[in-house]
Amino acid sequence: MNLFSDIRGAVVQALSAMTQDGQLPEGLDMTAVSVEPPRDPAHGDMATNAAMVLAKPAKLQPRAIAEALAARLSADPRIALAEVAGPGFLNLRLSPSVWQGVIRAALTEGADFGRSTLGQGQKVNVEFVSANPTGPMHVGHTRGAVFGDALAALLDFAGYAVTREYYINDGGAQVDVLARSAYERYREANGLDPEIREGLYPGDYLIPVGEALKEKYGDTLLNQPESVWLNDVRDFATERMMAMIREDLALLNVRMDVYSSEKALYGTGKIEGAIETLRGMGMIYEGVLEPPKGKTPEDWEPREQTLFRSTAHGDDVDRPVKKSDGSWTYFAPDIAYHHDKVLRGFDMLIDVLGADHGGYVKRMKAAVAALSNGKVPLDIKLIQLVKLFKNGEPFKMSKRAGTFVTLRDVVEQAGADVTRFVMLTRKNDMALDFDFDKVLEQSKDNPVFYVQYAHARVRSVLRKAVEMGIAVGDADLASADLSGLTHPAELELARKIAEWPRLVEIAARNNEPHRVAFYLYELASDLHGLWNRGNEDTSLRFLQEDNPATSQSKIALARAAGVVISAGLGILGVTPAEEMR
RNA sequence: GGCCCCGUAGCUCAGGGGAUAGAGCGACCGCCUCCUAAGCGGUAGGUCGCAGGUUCGAAUCCUGCCGGGGUCGCCA
C-alpha cells in the first residue's frame, strides 16, 4: 500500500472527470502532477501541484482549476478537507481513518510493507567491490561493499530482479606481481631470505600463502626460472586472495551472487568478439591520439594504436584498447565483460566504483551504449573516500611494511551493524568521516544507536504488554479499534510511516540507499518524540493501565513503526536490536 | 590545462523545479521528591560559493567564474 500513489490516483481520476465534463481540455499530460508531503505540516497532509502544472497547457487560471479540483476531491471519503493555497497549491487534509488504514497495512503486510512494483521485475546487475585479488580489503573497499549491498537490497525491495556481482581483476599485470611476491614468501618458507623488491607486495598476509605453497610444492619450485612457476603460483595465490576477500565480505554480511573472472575471458574469444562487434559498427579503428590538452606528458610521442571511438557517445577522447606490446589494455576485457552482462539479458547495469575511477565513467558508458544499441542503461556510482578518525584525531595508517587499515580492522572494532549504518548515512559522492569512538557511543547523538534504540523500545513495549495480558500479535493489533489514535503526535508518527513506500521508490529511482538511513532517523525521532510526550502527558503512553483496548491501539501504532524500522534496517543490512544493553 | 565530484547555520550534513530552506552537534534559556531522563522543552543562528540565464516559481536546471578534491595514452 502506497498512500501517496493512491491519492495521486484520486487526483488524476478527478482531473479526468473534469476533462470529460469539459472543465479541462482533452489530451493534457498528467505526468508532472505530483502529490507530496508539504514542507510545512500546517499546510495539511498532502499537497498537489496539479493546478499550477496544468494551468498553462489548459489555458486556465491555476486557482480556477484548483477550486474545481477541490470540489471533486471533497467527495472522496478519504479527503477531509481540500483547500487552495498560495500560487495554486491544493492542500489536502486526510481523514483519521486513512491513517488507521496505514497502520493496519503496515501490520498486515509486515516486512513487505513498502515493497514496490516500480522495477516490474526488470533484471538489474549491480557490480560492486571488484577489489583486485592482491590483498585484503581496506576501508575504501568497505564503503563500496556496503553501498553496493544496500543498493542491491533496495532495488530488490523496489521490485527489481537483482544480481550482485564481483568482477575479479585476475588477468592483468598486478596478479603477476602478486605471484612474484608470493614466490618470495615461498622461498622464505623454505628457509631462504625473501627479496621483497620495490614494486612487490610486502604485506605479511602473503606469508601463509608462501607456507601453503611449500606444503603443496615442497622445494621443487626453488631455483627455477619464473617461466616454470609463474602460472601455477599466480593461480594459487589469486585463489587464496579471493578466499580471503570472501571471508572479509562475510564479516560484513555481504554475499555475492556471481563472481566473474577477467582471466576467464581470455582465450574464450569473448574479448575479440566484443571488439569485433564494435569494429563492425565502426567504433574501433587504428589511429593516433592527440596529446592530452593542456599539460603534455614529458614522454609523449604520437603512436598509432587500436582505439575505441568513445567520443561518439560523449567521451572526450577515443580510448586505446591495446597496449604497444599488442596485449589488451584493462579496458578491452572490461568491454567484453560488460558486453557479457548485456548478453545475459540485464535490463539495467550499475557499477559501483571508487571515486578515483571517475575518469573511466564516460568510456564505459560509451561502450555499453554501443554494445546494447543504447537499450541498456549503465549507471556508475562513484564512492568517495573514507577518512578514519579516533577520538577526533585523524587515524594514521602506516604505509610502511604494507600495513593499512583493513576491512577486518574496521569491523572488528566497530562491528558490522555500526560499520554498515554509518557508511550509509552519507551520500555516495560525499567524503565520509568515520570516527571509531563516535560510532560506538551509546547516546542519542549517535544515529546508529538512536535508530536501534527506537526499535528496541517498540520491542520493550510489546514485551510489557504481554505481561499485562494484552494480545499483541500483528493480527490482533491490525484488527484492534484504532479510532482513538487522533492526537497530533500520534498522527505525525502515522504520517511518517505512510511515507515509507514513497521513500523506497524515490531512493530506488535515484540509486541512493542513504535516503533510507536518513528516513529511519526521522522515523526514530518521531517515535522517540511520542515516547517522550508520555512523560508529560500520561495519556500518550503506549501502555495504559487498566485500559487494554486503548493500549492495544497505541501499541499497534508503535508496532507499525517498528515494522518499518525493521524493514528499513533490513535493506541497510543492519540487525534491528531487541533490546539495548 | 581538459574532464568528473563537492561548496547549504559556528561544525557535520540532508533537501536536487514548488509555499516562510531543514536535522544533529555546538551556543543560549528553562526542566528530574513521582509514575518512561544511557535525558526533555524552548530560543538564537543562512546572500544555499559568486554572477548571469531558463521558468508562473531556482538551493535545485543551463552557462561562465571562484575555492577544495579526484583524474588525465600502453595501472587496474
Side-chain angles (χ1 to χ4, degrees):
Chain A
M1 178 222 191
N2 183 337
L3 187 59
F4 286 87
S5 44
D6 290 354
I7 299 297
R8 183 179 183 277
V11 168
V12 170
Q13 206 175 350
L15 291 168
S16 302
M18 285 167 65
T19 305
Q20 284 189 356
D21 292 355
Q23 285 176 291
L24 285 174
E26 305 269 344
L28 287 177
D29 180 7
M30 306 282 188
T31 51
V33 172
S34 68
V35 172
E36 298 173 353
R39 208 197 291 276
D40 186 347
H43 292 145
D45 300 316
M46 291 188 184
T48 176
N49 62 355
M52 287 180 292
V53 171
L54 298 178
K56 197 170 208 177
K59 294 178 181 140
L60 292 166
Q61 292 299 317
R63 290 193 71 96
I65 300 175
E67 301 282 0
L69 183 59
R72 300 248 174 199
L73 289 174
S74 299
D76 192 312
R78 291 170 296 183
I79 294 166
L81 183 66
E83 52 185 2
V84 184
F89 285 103
L90 186 57
N91 291 331
L92 307 176
R93 178 76 64 189
L94 303 184
S95 55
S97 64
V98 170
W99 306 115
Q100 294 160 19
V102 167
I103 294 166
R104 283 209 176 81
L107 294 168
T108 309
E109 297 172 31
D112 286 330
F113 177 68
R115 199 173 267 283
S116 167
T117 55
L118 178 74
Q120 299 184 303
Q122 285 195 79
K123 289 177 67 178
V124 184
N125 183 289
V126 182
E127 182 207 327
F128 62 113
V129 188
S130 299
N132 289 341
T134 54
M137 305 221 310
H138 59 255
V139 228
H141 298 130
T142 308
R143 188 175 180 192
V146 167
F147 176 88
D149 191 51
L151 174 58
L154 171 64
L155 292 175
D156 178 275
F157 199 66
Y160 291 89
V162 182
T163 298
R164 293 159 211 242
E165 188 151 333
Y166 187 123
Y167 178 57
I168 308 169
N169 296 128
D170 54 1
Q174 78 284 354
V175 283
D176 289 344
V177 174
L178 173 72
R180 293 184 190 110
S181 310
Y183 183 75
E184 292 306 319
R185 295 302 188 180
Y186 161 73
R187 293 181 65 246
E188 184 178 27
N190 278 285
L192 301 168
D193 282 337
E195 293 172 29
I196 313 291
R197 298 180 302 278
E198 183 74 24
L200 293 188
Y201 301 122
D204 291 348
Y205 59 87
L206 288 176
I207 292 173
V209 178
E211 283 164 1
L213 280 167
K214 182 192 169 197
E215 205 165 297
K216 181 170 180 188
Y217 293 101
D219 58 3
T220 59
L221 301 181
L222 291 177
N223 302 313
Q224 297 286 344
E226 188 175 288
S227 57
V228 170
W229 52 260
L230 187 69
N231 280 337
D232 287 349
V233 172
R234 189 213 294 122
D235 291 352
F236 186 88
T238 50
E239 187 40 57
R240 293 289 294 241
M241 292 300 104
M242 282 311 297
M244 185 172 68
I245 286 170
R246 281 174 220 244
E247 279 175 33
D248 285 352
L249 289 173
L251 286 176
L252 261 185
N253 300 316
V254 173
R255 216 175 307 281
M256 296 286 173
D257 298 311
V258 177
Y259 286 85
S260 286
S261 158
E262 175 191 358
K263 188 173 168 236
L265 291 167
Y266 289 91
T268 59
K270 282 186 177 177
I271 300 175
E272 293 75 6
I275 298 301
E276 287 315 306
T277 301
L278 289 172
R279 197 186 292 275
M281 301 171 177
M283 295 295 289
I284 296 282
Y285 67 102
E286 309 300 319
V288 180
L289 281 180
E290 297 281 312
K293 284 172 186 166
K295 203 159 59 180
T296 307
E298 296 287 329
D299 60 346
W300 177 271
E301 50 186 66
R303 198 196 315 273
E304 186 175 87
Q305 40 192 352
T306 306
L307 297 168
F308 169 59
R309 201 182 298 282
S310 48
T311 48
H313 290 278
D315 201 357
D316 314 300
V317 287
D318 294 336
R319 306 291 176 173
V321 295
K322 270 189 181 177
K323 300 179 194 171
S324 50
D325 68 358
S327 65
W328 299 114
T329 62
Y330 172 78
F331 188 34
D334 213 4
I335 289 174
Y337 172 51
H338 281 76
H339 189 209
D340 186 61
K341 288 197 268 193
V342 170
L343 293 176
R344 278 189 274 153
F346 289 105
D347 301 299
M348 193 164 111
L349 302 181
I350 299 174
D351 289 356
V352 179
L353 302 178
D356 55 340
H357 290 66
Y360 200 64
V361 170
K362 285 188 181 178
R363 78 191 71 167
M364 205 62 247
K365 284 190 175 180
V368 171
L371 288 166
S372 73
N373 288 316
K375 294 214 172 66
V376 179
L378 167 66
D379 189 11
I380 298 184
K381 306 298 280 187
L382 297 177
I383 308 299
Q384 268 293 351
L385 310 177
V386 178
K387 294 181 204 161
L388 292 173
F389 291 83
K390 195 156 178 64
N391 237 332
E393 296 292 317
F395 190 79
K396 296 197 181 79
M397 31 189 160
S398 128
K399 284 179 189 158
R400 195 170 41 113
T403 63
F404 40 88
V405 178
T406 62
L407 176 149
R408 184 175 290 266
D409 294 335
V410 175
V411 174
E412 279 176 358
Q413 286 205 46
D417 283 340
V418 167
T419 302
R420 293 188 61 121
F421 194 96
V422 170
M423 291 198 166
L424 289 167
T425 48
R426 196 112 315 170
K427 242 160 61 179
N428 57 287
D429 48 16
M430 294 284 282
L432 165 74
D433 292 348
F434 190 98
D435 190 310
F436 283 109
D437 296 302
K438 283 188 187 164
V439 299
L440 291 174
E441 193 177 294
Q442 302 242 317
S443 80
K444 69 164 288 250
D445 303 344
N446 180 354
V448 190
F449 175 82
Y450 193 68
V451 173
Q452 290 275 31
Y453 190 28
H455 187 266
R457 274 184 156 168
V458 172
R459 303 304 305 184
S460 164
V461 165
L462 290 172
R463 284 192 297 268
K464 283 182 182 153
V466 169
E467 287 171 19
M468 291 166 70
I470 299 170
V472 292
D474 285 347
D476 303 313
L477 296 175
S479 58
D481 174 13
L482 303 179
S483 59
L485 294 173
T486 53
H487 191 281
E490 292 171 334
L491 293 181
E492 190 181 339
L493 180 56
R495 214 173 276 128
K496 186 60 77 177
I497 292 168
E499 278 180 38
W500 171 238
R502 177 173 185 271
L503 185 280
V504 167
E505 293 191 348
I506 293 173
R509 245 185 225 113
N510 293 291
N511 295 330
E512 289 181 341
H514 77 275
R515 290 174 186 267
V516 173
F518 280 94
Y519 168 83
L520 290 179
Y521 183 83
E522 292 168 11
L523 178 61
S525 177
D526 285 343
L527 183 85
H528 287 310
L530 180 54
W531 181 288
N532 291 327
R533 293 288 289 267
N535 286 329
E536 304 292 320
D537 181 350
T538 55
S539 74
L540 284 176
R541 295 185 181 188
F542 294 113
L543 300 175
Q544 299 288 317
E545 294 286 336
D546 305 323
N547 198 338
T550 304
S551 296
Q552 211 180 22
S553 68
K554 292 177 186 297
I555 295 165
L557 173 62
R559 169 62 183 157
V563 162
V564 173
I565 293 175
S566 175
L569 287 177
I571 288 171
L572 304 184
V574 177
T575 320
E578 289 297 308
E579 55 186 336
M580 305 306 289
R581 287 193 169 264

